[in-house]
């Protein structure tokens, strides 16, 4: 175990979007966990639970404010509008990096086993700068969700994007890693793939994932598919290489077809027909549209990156309530 002065300050970063049903259930669990780790001497009593309100439309922010008044360990920030889960996590990490030694990001729904935090902190104390929380199994998932999730991780790795299998956003990061991560300025962020790019010594902690404690999931199939496609196009350019390969193969086949058509015509055995022509046109047209769509996605990402828009805007902090100051 690494020896140091004092105890590490931990901030648990929890993104929240319309979590008024589950927040009263899971907030006390997070508080209990942070107090137990503090009493055991693993972390400092100055550790905090940071809720990041991602532009919720319900009473989530009001509940966060009430929690911050009930116990000093609860704090919160609110984004000016909904900017997505990944940006909410990023906002929390950037807020925490100068005031804590380690952060643990975790969702608010209670599905991730919070007792795994003890093992994460132990791994950090033993030298790891990044600790990934990895699901030990997917027995609670439906066959469809299990198949699509596992296929997604395999697809990402095949595309050349380095991701940890069965790892979502439950992870420990040291302030050293977060400070380096701050130099990654891309707007299209996919934390599961960006964190491994930072490097540093890492460890893995396995845990059982449970059912959501309350409320409903905010990640339907459409959002999951969008996240998957966004992750692939943000971390890899292999789809463009695949398009080039398909184009080369189709062009080669087309060249052979031209030679065949010329030979048949010279032999006087040509038979007029529309079916083969239509099939070829539709086939080539489909490939062209798909290719243009994928390339267009990359061009769109370049367009968004070139604007250098902020990835998040913090409008409220529980420890610094906003006050208007008039200039007149």
């Amino acid at each position: 175990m690494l020896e140091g002065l004092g105890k590490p300050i931990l901030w648990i970063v929890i993104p929240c979007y319309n979590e008024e049903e589950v927040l009263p259930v899971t907030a006390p669990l997070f508080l209990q966990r942070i107090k137990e780790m503090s009493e055991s001497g693993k972390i400092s009593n100055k550790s905090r639970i940071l809720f990041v309100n991602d532009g919720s439309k319900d009473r989530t922010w009001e509940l966060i404010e009430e929690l911050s008044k009930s116990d000093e360990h609860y704090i919160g920030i609110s984004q000016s509008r909904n900017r997505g889960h990944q940006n909410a996590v990023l906002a929390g990490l950037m807020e925490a990096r100068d005031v804590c030694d380690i952060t643990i990001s975790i969702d608010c729904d209670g599905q991730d086993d919070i007792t795994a935090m003890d093992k994460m902190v132990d791994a950090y104390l033993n030298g790891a700068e990044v600790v990934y929380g990895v699901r030990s199994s997917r027995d609670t998932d439906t066959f469809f969700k299990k198949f699509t999730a596992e296929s997604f991780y395999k697809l990402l790795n095949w595309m050349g994007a380095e991701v940890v299998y069965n790892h979502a956003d439950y992870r420990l990061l040291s302030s050293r890693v977060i400070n380096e991560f701050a130099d990654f300025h891309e707007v299209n962020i996919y934390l599961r793939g960006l964190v491994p790019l930072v490097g540093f010594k890492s460890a893995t902690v396995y845990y059982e994932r449970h059912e959501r404690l309350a409320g409903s999931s905010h990640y339907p199939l459409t959002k999951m598919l969008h996240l998957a496609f966004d992750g692939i196009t943000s971390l890899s350019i292999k789809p463009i290489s695949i398009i080039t390969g398909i184009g080369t193969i189709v062009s080669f086949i087309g060249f052979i077809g031209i030679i065949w058509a010329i030979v048949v015509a010279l032999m006087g055995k040509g038979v007029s027909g529309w079916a083969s022509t239509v099939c070829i046109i539709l086939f080539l047209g489909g490939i062209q549209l798909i290719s243009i769509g994928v390339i267009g996605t990359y061009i769109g990402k370049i367009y968004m990156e070139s604007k250098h828009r902020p990835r998040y805007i913090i409008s409220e902090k529980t420890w610094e309530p906003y006050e208007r100051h008039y200039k007149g």
Side-chain angles (χ1 to χ4, degrees):
M1 181 178 293
L2 295 179
E3 298 294 335
L5 298 175
K7 302 172 184 176
I9 297 177
L10 164 67
W11 276 32
I12 302 177
V13 178
I14 308 170
C16 302
Y17 178 67
N18 293 344
E19 302 288 6
E20 66 176 358
E21 293 184 36
V22 74
L23 196 57
V25 179
T26 56
L29 299 178
F30 291 124
L31 180 61
Q32 179 184 1
R33 176 54 46 195
I34 210 169
K35 285 185 175 181
E36 288 180 355
M37 286 192 290
S38 175
E39 292 170 357
S40 66
K42 290 184 178 181
I43 61 175
S44 168
N45 188 49
K46 296 179 181 178
S47 300
R48 296 291 181 263
I49 303 167
L50 174 63
F51 296 105
V52 183
N53 177 43
D54 187 25
S56 299
K57 298 178 181 178
D58 60 6
R59 295 188 63 254
T60 296
W61 179 241
E62 286 78 2
L63 291 175
I64 293 173
E65 289 182 311
E66 292 173 5
L67 287 169
S68 67
K69 295 175 182 177
S70 66
D71 192 289
E72 64 177 0
H73 291 93
Y74 292 124
I75 57 176
I77 59 176
S78 181
Q79 298 207 84
S80 60
R81 52 156 293 177
N82 177 255
R83 295 181 182 272
H85 179 274
Q86 298 291 281
N87 286 303
V89 176
L90 178 67
L93 294 178
M94 293 301 104
E95 189 68 37
R97 63 176 176 144
D98 293 328
V99 291
C100 70
D101 300 293
I102 50 177
T103 64
I104 294 180
S105 57
I106 185 173
D107 288 338
C108 186
D109 52 23
Q111 289 186 283
D112 296 321
D113 184 8
I114 62 174
T115 60
M117 291 184 185
D118 292 72
K119 296 179 180 179
M120 289 182 172
V121 174
D122 288 338
Y124 165 75
L125 294 175
N126 283 311
E129 302 286 349
V130 180
V131 184
Y132 299 103
V134 176
R135 295 180 62 168
S136 57
S137 68
R138 287 186 171 270
D139 296 335
T140 58
D141 289 349
T142 62
F143 172 80
F144 177 76
K145 187 173 182 180
K146 181 178 180 180
F147 174 77
T148 53
E150 291 180 348
S151 299
F152 168 60
Y153 285 109
K154 292 177 182 178
L155 178 63
L156 269 178
N157 282 294
W158 181 72
M159 286 288 183
E162 183 182 353
V163 293
V164 178
Y165 189 71
N166 274 341
H167 165 68
D169 289 292
Y170 189 18
R171 71 179 73 86
L172 178 148
L173 297 177
S174 70
S175 58
R176 182 184 180 191
V177 174
I178 298 174
N179 284 328
E180 296 298 332
F181 186 72
D183 292 331
F184 287 66
H185 299 296
E186 52 254 60
V187 175
N188 302 285
I189 59 171
Y190 186 70
L191 296 176
R192 302 178 196 181
L194 287 179
V195 171
L197 292 178
V198 182
F200 291 99
K201 183 180 179 180
S202 64
T204 299
V205 169
Y206 294 93
Y207 69 94
E208 292 288 338
R209 188 170 171 86
H210 311 296
E211 294 293 333
R212 186 181 176 92
L213 295 182
S216 57
S217 174
H218 303 302
Y219 256 87
L221 179 61
T222 53
K223 280 192 174 182
M224 291 177 65
L225 290 175
H226 176 75
L227 180 65
F229 188 68
D230 196 48
I232 292 172
T233 53
S234 295
L235 298 171
S236 172
I237 60 170
K238 196 168 185 178
I240 296 181
S241 301
I242 293 173
I243 289 174
T244 304
I246 293 174
T248 303
I249 294 172
V250 172
S251 298
F252 180 72
I253 295 173
F255 180 71
I256 294 175
I258 291 172
I259 295 175
W260 173 79
I262 293 173
V263 172
V264 170
L266 292 175
M267 295 176 63
K269 296 181 179 180
V271 179
S272 61
W274 62 272
S276 59
T277 303
V278 170
C279 289
I280 293 173
I281 292 175
L282 292 177
F283 177 67
L284 293 176
I287 290 180
Q288 288 174 348
L289 289 174
I290 292 173
S291 302
I292 292 172
V294 174
I295 295 172
T297 299
Y298 280 97
I299 293 174
K301 287 180 177 291
I302 294 172
Y303 173 70
M304 294 304 296
E305 294 289 346
S306 66
K307 288 178 175 293
H308 301 292
R309 289 175 176 172
R311 293 171 291 183
Y312 58 87
I313 298 175
I314 304 302
S315 59
E316 300 285 346
K317 297 180 181 180
T318 55
W319 64 92
E320 292 179 2
Y322 172 74
E323 295 181 0
R324 288 183 175 179
H325 298 281
Y326 299 111
K327 299 178 175 63

